[in-house]
Amino acid sequence: MGERMTNVTDGLQNASNTMEALQNALGHIKMLRCSMNHVFESITNNLENSGGSAELMSSEEKERNSKLELNSNMQRVIANVRELEKLVMSLNAPMGPFTLGNTSLINQEVSTDKIPLYSRLIDSYKWLEKVHEYAGFAIPLLGQNPLKRTYYGVSSKRRKMMTTNTFNVQNLSIIDNTIMGINSSYKDMEIKLVRPLGSNSILCITLAKTLRAIIILKGWLIEWVIVRGLNEEMNNESNELDLWTESKYKIFQKVTDNANAAMLHFHVPIHPELSVRSYITWFHSYNTLFSHPCKKCGLHLVNHTPPTWRDLRSLEPFHEECKP
């Protein structure tokens, strides 16, 4: 019994010594921080005072005093560090893990207002239940109606017919005759057909006294359209057709955008020649770009811009803000 009491007494004494050593170490840490703060304050004050011109002391005296002050502060820091090292070395390392007690529960937030974990779990559970229910309904329906997404049962001849490109033209004279017929049907529009890129055709269009345009055809397929003003050059510095430089006028830039959008509307794979005829008919409606008012608002200009959109069926003019 006496030995147990002695062990308990020794344990309590060791614990008290350890706590006292910890308190001393924490106190020296505070002293170390204060001494470092003094070092930084002295450096800051010396830098601020070095810029003054109305001081009594000379620059050499100031430098000497600042060095002495910095040296004394650094000596305090070194002394505090040595004392702290001695106290840390005197501490005994713990034999096992630290027992934090209830402090280990600090990071566990149990308030449902701050972390709505329960409500999120309920929503996830309901969502999974609905997915499981809908999957159960879908399985018998898919089993009754099997989907075939491949070409099983389709002959190779039919597949070849489906992939035939109707826009390619072997005899280019067909395109020449068609474009000549379209050109002769309009008195205020001139169309010149050139082929500087081989078999691909380029239509250079001058529409009344309104605009110029370049339409690039690959067979019967319209690939690119660009619109410029009458006073803008269609050739580049090397005297070749400029197929990519956009107009410097915002009106013709907008007409170019609308013309390229209409190119997709008039795309007819079954009747490619008809798609070109319909597109040029629609494009011819821009001969009234600066003369006809908007069909909806009745104004010629909105935001200093004429009606740059033409209806794809009725060919009526509309402003960008008024188009249906």
Side-chain angles (χ1 to χ4, degrees):
M1 186 70 181
E3 293 179 357
R4 290 184 179 180
M5 291 297 294
T6 303
N7 294 333
V8 171
T9 304
D10 294 340
L12 292 174
Q13 187 175 2
N14 292 333
S16 63
N17 294 333
T18 303
M19 290 299 296
E20 184 179 358
L22 285 174
Q23 291 292 338
N24 293 332
L26 292 175
H28 277 79
I29 289 174
K30 292 181 181 179
M31 293 173 62
L32 178 60
R33 294 180 62 183
C34 292
S35 59
M36 287 299 300
N37 191 20
H38 289 320
V39 171
F40 295 136
E41 286 179 355
S42 64
I43 294 174
T44 304
N45 294 331
N46 291 328
L47 290 175
E48 291 178 354
N49 295 330
S50 63
S53 60
E55 296 292 336
L56 299 176
M57 293 186 297
S58 63
S59 59
E60 294 180 357
E61 293 178 353
K62 291 179 183 179
E63 185 177 358
R64 188 184 306 110
N65 293 335
S66 62
K67 287 182 178 180
L68 291 175
E69 184 180 0
L70 180 60
N71 190 15
S72 62
N73 290 329
M74 290 302 297
Q75 291 296 331
R76 293 176 189 173
V77 171
I78 294 172
N80 290 330
V81 171
R82 289 176 179 174
E83 290 294 332
L84 182 59
E85 288 179 351
K86 291 179 181 179
L87 291 173
V88 172
M89 294 299 293
S90 64
L91 293 175
N92 296 324
M95 299 301 295
F98 290 102
T99 56
L100 300 178
N102 294 332
T103 57
S104 61
L105 304 177
I106 291 177
N107 63 341
Q108 296 182 4
E109 180 61 56
V110 295
S111 177
T112 57
D113 297 335
K114 296 182 179 179
I115 301 179
L117 182 60
Y118 181 75
S119 59
R120 291 179 182 176
L121 288 174
I122 293 297
D123 294 339
S124 299
Y125 178 77
K126 291 181 179 179
W127 184 80
L128 289 174
E129 285 294 322
K130 288 183 179 179
V131 170
H132 184 72
E133 183 181 0
Y134 293 157
F137 291 149
I139 288 174
L141 293 176
L142 294 174
Q144 295 175 4
N145 300 287
L147 301 177
K148 294 182 179 179
R149 297 186 180 275
T150 57
Y151 292 102
Y152 294 140
V154 181
S155 63
S156 60
K157 181 179 180 181
R158 181 174 176 81
R159 288 200 301 270
K160 186 175 181 180
M161 291 176 61
M162 291 173 62
T163 58
T164 302
N165 190 351
T166 58
F167 289 94
N168 292 333
V169 180
Q170 300 296 332
N171 190 2
L172 298 179
S173 61
I174 298 176
I175 298 179
D176 298 343
N177 296 332
T178 303
I179 297 302
M180 289 177 60
I182 296 174
N183 186 29
S184 61
S185 60
Y186 297 104
K187 297 181 180 180
D188 57 349
M189 183 170 65
E190 181 183 0
I191 303 176
K192 293 183 179 179
L193 191 149
V194 294
R195 292 189 176 91
L197 305 177
S199 61
N200 294 338
S201 304
I202 297 179
L203 306 182
C204 300
I205 299 177
T206 302
L207 182 57
K209 296 181 179 180
T210 307
L211 54 84
R212 292 179 179 177
I214 294 177
I215 300 177
I216 301 177
L217 300 177
K218 184 179 180 180
W220 287 115
L221 179 64
I222 302 174
E223 287 196 332
W224 181 248
V225 181
I226 189 165
V227 180
R228 299 192 184 102
L230 287 176
N231 61 337
E232 294 184 276
E233 294 292 335
M234 303 301 287
N235 297 336
N236 53 24
E237 297 178 354
S238 58
N239 201 22
E240 296 178 353
L241 274 177
D242 189 357
L243 305 178
W244 311 110
T245 304
E246 64 179 7
S247 174
K248 61 182 179 181
Y249 302 106
K250 292 185 178 180
I251 295 175
F252 297 118
Q253 292 176 12
K254 197 61 185 177
V255 174
T256 300
D257 295 339
N258 294 333
N260 283 283
M263 171 183 68
L264 302 177
H265 173 79
F266 289 103
H267 178 79
V268 183
I270 302 176
H271 304 289
E273 181 182 348
L274 179 61
S275 65
V276 175
R277 288 181 177 273
S278 301
Y279 181 81
I280 294 179
T281 301
W282 173 85
F283 189 81
H284 176 263
S285 63
Y286 277 101
N287 63 340
T288 59
L289 177 63
F290 299 105
S291 58
H292 285 192
C294 176
K295 187 67 176 179
K296 184 176 181 179
C297 65
L299 300 177
H300 285 276
L301 297 177
V302 172
N303 296 327
H304 309 287
T305 305
T308 55
W309 171 256
R310 295 296 184 269
D311 188 82
L312 299 173
R313 293 187 178 181
S314 63
L315 308 182
E316 295 174 341
F318 291 93
H319 291 108
E320 295 297 326
E321 296 81 3
C322 303
K323 65 181 181 181

